[in-house]
Amino acid sequence: MCNKGRYRPTDKMSDLICDKYNLLQVLSRFQLPLGFGDQTVREVCDSAKVDCNTFLAIINFISEENNRMVDNFEGFSVVALMDYLKQAHHYFLDFQLPHIRAKLIEAIDSSTNELAALIVKFFDAYVEEVHKHMDYEDKYVFKYVEKLLNGEHPSGFHITQYARRHDQIEQKLKELKNIIIKYYPSKENNNPLNSVLFDIFCCEEDLVSHCEIEDYLFVPAVRQLEKEER
């Protein structure tokens, strides 16, 4: 799997990031620091003890905008992928969404504008849904997979239950974006509001990508584990 796709282990990591800057999020979630000079992808991953095959599987999946199940798990680390997903949850819940909320409150006057107050309330309800979704994954799905990896045979759960439950949580963010664009009476030039809208667009794309990685990489990999444990 490491040699398949647009990016390869011998590519310079700096070229990869300059070619597609949104892959910076992948570096962050693998806890790969910047300042890697002219090192290759393999060298950067090895120095940080990150599984190169899994790293490349994710960046190639994102860069190629893939939407199909992966059926080749040779050299693929479920542990590394799960660590990546956990870090993504931490980023959304503890950094990106609170950052957007702070910018949203700064951009609109929720104390005197009824629509503005409703927008903040809608955003808070959305964040609560994201928390529920990701907490469920952290507390139940990942714990289940960890047991499989330890050779246990947990009963009462199957990854298909998670796949059915895994609705696209980015939908409410899309609705919030549309409410602001269509109905909020902005000033002639509201740079703060335009800036937070840009962040919402980016967050929406990031969440779509996150859900697709779970659906098309993580779920089939766990299904393979379940077959092996039968």
Side-chain angles (χ1 to χ4, degrees), residues 144 147-148 152-158 161:
Y144 167 75
K147 289 179 181 179
L148 286 175
E152 299 178 38
H153 306 271
S155 59
F157 184 82
H158 192 278
Q161 295 173 244

Side-chain angles (χ1 to χ4, degrees), residues 121-164:
K121 185 176 180 180
F122 188 97
F123 181 81
D124 288 344
Y126 163 76
V127 171
E128 185 177 352
E129 286 300 311
V130 176
H131 263 283
K132 288 179 182 177
H133 179 89
M134 293 184 175
D135 285 347
Y136 171 79
E137 292 176 354
D138 290 337
K139 293 177 181 177
Y140 299 102
V141 179
F142 295 155
K143 296 294 184 184
Y144 167 75
V145 177
E146 287 168 0
K147 289 179 181 179
L148 286 175
L149 290 167
N150 289 329
E152 299 178 38
H153 306 271
S155 59
F157 184 82
H158 192 278
I159 199 63
T160 53
Q161 295 173 244
Y162 163 71
R164 287 195 300 266

Side-chain angles (χ1 to χ4, degrees), residues 5-122:
R6 178 178 181 179
Y7 300 112
R8 298 174 179 273
T10 52
D11 292 337
K12 289 183 180 179
M13 184 69 87
S14 58
D15 290 344
L16 183 153
I17 299 303
C18 290
D19 185 45
K20 204 166 181 66
Y21 67 87
N22 65 332
L23 296 179
L24 277 168
Q25 299 291 16
V26 180
L27 260 69
S28 176
R29 291 164 196 176
F30 275 106
Q31 301 184 69
L32 290 169
L34 299 176
F36 31 68
D38 289 328
Q39 286 185 306
T40 65
V41 171
R42 169 71 73 186
E43 289 170 338
V44 173
C45 287
D46 286 351
S47 64
K49 294 181 172 56
V50 168
D51 187 83
C52 180
N53 288 7
T54 309
F55 175 80
L56 282 168
I58 290 174
I59 64 170
N60 282 317
F61 182 88
I62 293 173
S63 64
E64 293 167 8
E65 298 181 352
N66 216 332
N67 61 354
R68 61 183 177 83
M69 296 286 186
V70 171
D71 55 8
N72 179 10
F73 302 101
E74 183 179 353
F76 189 96
S77 171
V78 176
V79 173
L81 176 56
M82 195 158 53
D83 287 343
Y84 167 88
L85 295 174
K86 289 176 181 178
Q87 287 297 322
H89 290 180
H90 173 70
Y91 172 79
F92 285 120
L93 299 177
D94 300 330
F95 177 77
Q96 189 174 43
L97 291 173
H99 179 68
I100 289 175
R101 188 183 192 277
K103 288 184 68 173
L104 183 62
I105 291 173
E106 181 183 347
I108 61 179
D109 186 2
S110 59
S111 61
T112 59
N113 187 309
E114 184 177 347
L115 178 57
L118 287 173
I119 287 172
V120 174
K121 185 176 180 180
F122 188 97

